[in-house]
CSV table of all heavy atoms in Angstrom, one decimal:
chain,number,residue,atom,x,y,z
A,122,MET,N,8.7,-9.6,-7.7
A,122,MET,CA,9.1,-11.0,-7.9
A,122,MET,C,10.2,-11.1,-8.9
A,122,MET,O,10.8,-12.2,-9.1
A,122,MET,CB,7.8,-11.7,-8.3
A,122,MET,CG,6.8,-11.9,-7.2
A,122,MET,SD,5.3,-12.8,-7.7
A,122,MET,CE,6.0,-14.4,-8.0
A,123,ARG,N,10.5,-10.1,-9.7
A,123,ARG,CA,11.6,-10.1,-10.6
A,123,ARG,C,12.9,-10.3,-9.8
A,123,ARG,O,13.8,-11.1,-10.2
A,123,ARG,CB,11.7,-8.8,-11.3
A,123,ARG,CG,13.0,-8.7,-12.2
A,123,ARG,CD,13.1,-7.3,-12.8
A,123,ARG,NE,13.0,-6.2,-11.8
A,123,ARG,CZ,12.9,-4.9,-12.1
A,123,ARG,NH1,12.8,-4.5,-13.3
A,123,ARG,NH2,12.8,-4.0,-11.1
A,124,ASP,N,13.0,-9.7,-8.6
A,124,ASP,CA,14.2,-9.8,-7.8
A,124,ASP,C,14.1,-10.8,-6.7
A,124,ASP,O,15.1,-11.3,-6.1
A,124,ASP,CB,14.6,-8.4,-7.2
A,124,ASP,CG,15.0,-7.4,-8.3
A,124,ASP,OD1,15.5,-7.9,-9.4
A,124,ASP,OD2,14.8,-6.2,-8.1
A,125,VAL,N,12.9,-11.1,-6.3
A,125,VAL,CA,12.7,-12.0,-5.1
A,125,VAL,C,11.9,-13.2,-5.6
A,125,VAL,O,10.8,-13.1,-6.0
A,125,VAL,CB,11.9,-11.3,-4.0
A,125,VAL,CG1,11.6,-12.3,-2.8
A,125,VAL,CG2,12.7,-10.1,-3.5
A,126,ASP,N,12.5,-14.4,-5.5
A,126,ASP,CA,11.9,-15.6,-5.8
A,126,ASP,C,11.0,-16.0,-4.6
A,126,ASP,O,11.5,-16.6,-3.6
A,126,ASP,CB,12.9,-16.7,-6.1
A,126,ASP,CG,12.2,-18.0,-6.6
A,126,ASP,OD1,11.0,-18.0,-6.9
A,126,ASP,OD2,12.9,-19.1,-6.6
A,127,GLY,N,9.7,-15.7,-4.7
A,127,GLY,CA,8.9,-15.9,-3.6
A,127,GLY,C,7.5,-16.3,-4.0
A,127,GLY,O,7.2,-16.5,-5.2
A,128,VAL,N,6.6,-16.3,-3.0
A,128,VAL,CA,5.2,-16.7,-3.2
A,128,VAL,C,4.4,-15.5,-2.9
A,128,VAL,O,4.4,-14.9,-1.8
A,128,VAL,CB,4.8,-17.9,-2.4
A,128,VAL,CG1,5.0,-17.8,-0.9
A,128,VAL,CG2,3.3,-18.2,-2.7
A,129,GLY,N,3.6,-15.0,-3.9
A,129,GLY,CA,2.7,-13.8,-3.7
A,129,GLY,C,1.4,-14.3,-3.2
A,129,GLY,O,0.8,-15.3,-3.7
A,130,LEU,N,0.8,-13.5,-2.2
A,130,LEU,CA,-0.4,-13.9,-1.5
A,130,LEU,C,-1.4,-12.7,-1.5
A,130,LEU,O,-1.0,-11.6,-1.3
A,130,LEU,CB,-0.2,-14.4,-0.1
A,130,LEU,CG,0.9,-15.5,0.1
A,130,LEU,CD1,1.1,-15.7,1.6
A,130,LEU,CD2,0.4,-16.8,-0.5
A,131,TYR,N,-2.7,-13.0,-1.8
A,131,TYR,CA,-3.7,-12.0,-1.7
A,131,TYR,C,-4.9,-12.6,-1.0
A,131,TYR,O,-5.5,-13.6,-1.5
A,131,TYR,CB,-4.0,-11.4,-3.1
A,131,TYR,CG,-5.0,-10.3,-3.0
A,131,TYR,CD1,-4.6,-9.1,-2.4
A,131,TYR,CD2,-6.3,-10.4,-3.5
A,131,TYR,CE1,-5.5,-8.0,-2.3
A,131,TYR,CE2,-7.2,-9.3,-3.4
A,131,TYR,CZ,-6.8,-8.1,-2.9
A,131,TYR,OH,-7.6,-7.0,-2.8
A,132,ASP,N,-5.4,-11.9,0.0
A,132,ASP,CA,-6.6,-12.3,0.7
A,132,ASP,C,-7.7,-11.2,0.4
A,132,ASP,O,-7.6,-10.1,0.8
A,132,ASP,CB,-6.4,-12.3,2.2
A,132,ASP,CG,-5.3,-13.2,2.7
A,132,ASP,OD1,-5.2,-14.3,2.1
A,132,ASP,OD2,-4.5,-12.9,3.6
A,133,ALA,N,-8.6,-11.6,-0.5
A,133,ALA,CA,-9.6,-10.6,-1.0
A,133,ALA,C,-10.7,-10.4,0.0
A,133,ALA,O,-11.8,-10.9,-0.2
A,133,ALA,CB,-10.1,-11.1,-2.4
A,134,GLY,N,-10.5,-9.6,1.0
A,134,GLY,CA,-11.5,-9.3,2.0
A,134,GLY,C,-11.5,-10.1,3.2
A,134,GLY,O,-10.8,-11.1,3.3
A,135,ARG,N,-12.3,-9.7,4.2
A,135,ARG,CA,-12.3,-10.3,5.5
A,135,ARG,C,-12.7,-11.8,5.4
A,135,ARG,O,-12.2,-12.7,6.1
A,135,ARG,CB,-13.3,-9.6,6.4
A,135,ARG,CG,-13.3,-10.2,7.9
A,135,ARG,CD,-14.0,-9.3,8.8
A,135,ARG,NE,-13.3,-8.0,9.0
A,135,ARG,CZ,-12.3,-7.9,9.9
A,135,ARG,NH1,-11.9,-9.0,10.6
A,135,ARG,NH2,-11.6,-6.8,10.0
A,136,THR,N,-13.7,-12.1,4.5
A,136,THR,CA,-14.1,-13.5,4.4
A,136,THR,C,-13.0,-14.4,3.9
A,136,THR,O,-13.0,-15.6,4.1
A,136,THR,CB,-15.3,-13.6,3.4
A,136,THR,OG1,-16.4,-12.8,3.9
A,136,THR,CG2,-15.8,-15.0,3.2
A,137,ALA,N,-12.0,-13.8,3.2
A,137,ALA,CA,-10.8,-14.5,2.7
A,137,ALA,C,-9.7,-14.5,3.7
A,137,ALA,O,-8.6,-15.0,3.4
A,137,ALA,CB,-10.4,-14.0,1.4
Side-chain angles (χ1 to χ4, degrees):
M122 291 179 68
R123 173 185 55 189
D124 293 333
V125 177
D126 185 11
V128 54
L130 306 174
Y131 185 66
D132 303 319
R135 182 168 293 277
T136 300

